[in-house]
Amino acid sequence: MIEYRNVCKNYGDRKIVKDLSFTVEDGQFAVLIGPSGCGKTTTLKMLNRLIQSDGGEILLDGKNINDINAEELRTHIGYVIQQIGLFPNMTVEQNITVVPRLLKWDKERCNKRVRELLALVDMDYDTYAKKYPNELSGGQQQRVGVLRALAAEPPVILMDEPFGALDPITRDALQDEVKNLQKRLHKTIIFVTHDMNEAIKMADVILFMSDGELLQKASPEEMLRAPANDTVREFMGKHVSQGVAGQDNIPCGEIMRKNVAKVSDTWRTLECVQLMSSREIDSLVVVDDSDRYLGVVTIEGIKARGKAGASVRNILETTVPTVRTDTLAKEAFATLDSTKARYLVVLDKDDRAVGIITRTSMSKALAYMVWGGDAV
Ligand SMILES: Nc1ncnc2c1ncn2[C@@H]1O[C@H](COP(=O)(O)OP(=O)(O)O)[C@@H](O)[C@H]1O
Ligand SMILES: [Mg+2]
């Protein structure tokens, strides 16, 4: 458990963090959000003692962090930041093993760990381990940054606007991956962002900061439903991106993502793998020559059953749930939840795949359901 008790930080006579108190439970995904300059980074860095607090105390599992040796503390706390995170003169493997090597893990153990970690994010060891950061896409670099933070199995991970510089599709994919990793590995995460969509999507609990103070700590649903004051309300209103008006009856067609990665069923598995890898996604929607929906092809499916020269027709999966453009969004969300599917395919009346519904679509629509059209 992480506990901030009346924590303060001043620069000169400017109070940057003011009497901040909150707790984050083990295994919780806490998102620290607030306007730029409100003190988020400072708050985070006080936990791994990159910045020394001026008052109050921070406890990690009941122990005051000032009583823990700073290096030891940092090996217990993974840290991911935007861009500049990776060492440009080190390979992927060397970057990932920075902390394990500091901890004097032997070569074999380091190598085994790198293989495990790359597998977690579907990056092939032989392809990527010896590459340098500048040979990777932005999304791959940030994945490696996340793996590096996980390498020595710290129970706590701090992430400071880690996906801020990525394009929206890559960002969306990485958000999903990190959320899934956290669920699987049961890490305690404090994730800083100024993007309310990201916060709603990722958080178990949102900590809303403004001008060095904590204004509200609540689940995403609760914060949307009952913002603590006008500052929180206004910030969420500005940041939850606009989509549709209306209350409870938004159809899927209005909130779906339209840039579906589609291929024809005559495509070969190898071409599909190349497209997935260039767009950093792990499945494609497959259609016939009249653009009618047939199923999806996934990277797992190709690995398990694909032959390089064979067409994807043979490994189509038809288990992804489908909805219609006029299906109510709330029904789609119920399906997403009950089936654990990662997305739904939206079909128009002619059975063409015209969109997908993801959990991000959900968070946006949630805001509209709560507020209606005029609040944002
Ligand atoms: N070393 C420093 N000296 C003086 N002021 C600082 C220093 N570091 C941060 N600040 C100020 O503290 C405030 C909070 O900064 P920061 O924690 O980086 O905010 P955020 O991450 O929310 O954008 C800002 O006004 C910033 O200018
Ligand atoms: Mg910051």
Side-chain angles (χ1 to χ4, degrees), residues 247-272:
Q247 298 278 341
D248 236 8
N249 50 359
I250 309 167
C252 288
E254 298 208 31
I255 56 155
M256 66 190 185
R257 249 169 44 190
K258 293 181 182 137
N259 55 345
V260 185
K262 269 195 269 193
V263 299
S264 136
D265 64 331
T266 57
W267 275 49
R268 305 195 180 280
T269 51
L270 193 60
E271 296 170 298
C272 291

Side-chain angles (χ1 to χ4, degrees), residues 11 14 16 35-42:
Y11 285 115
R14 267 193 72 199
I16 303 295
S36 177
C38 73
K40 302 181 295 294
T41 296
T42 307

Side-chain angles (χ1 to χ4, degrees), residues 9-12 14-17 32-45 51 160-161 192-194 209 211-212:
K9 179 70 195 174
N10 312 318
Y11 285 115
R14 267 193 72 199
K15 296 187 163 62
I16 303 295
V17 172
L32 184 60
I33 191 169
S36 177
C38 73
K40 302 181 295 294
T41 296
T42 307
T43 300
L44 212 59
K45 283 183 168 175
I51 293 178
D160 195 349
E161 312 218 16
V192 166
T193 182
H194 60 262
M209 248 182 116
D211 200 14

Side-chain angles (χ1 to χ4, degrees), residues 66 69 82 91 114 119 208 264 269 292 313-314 324 351 354:
N66 288 329
N69 171 287
Q82 193 186 101
T91 63
V114 171
F208 191 102
S264 136
T269 51
R292 275 189 303 257
R313 203 176 293 141
N314 309 314
R324 296 283 167 182
D351 284 340
V354 288

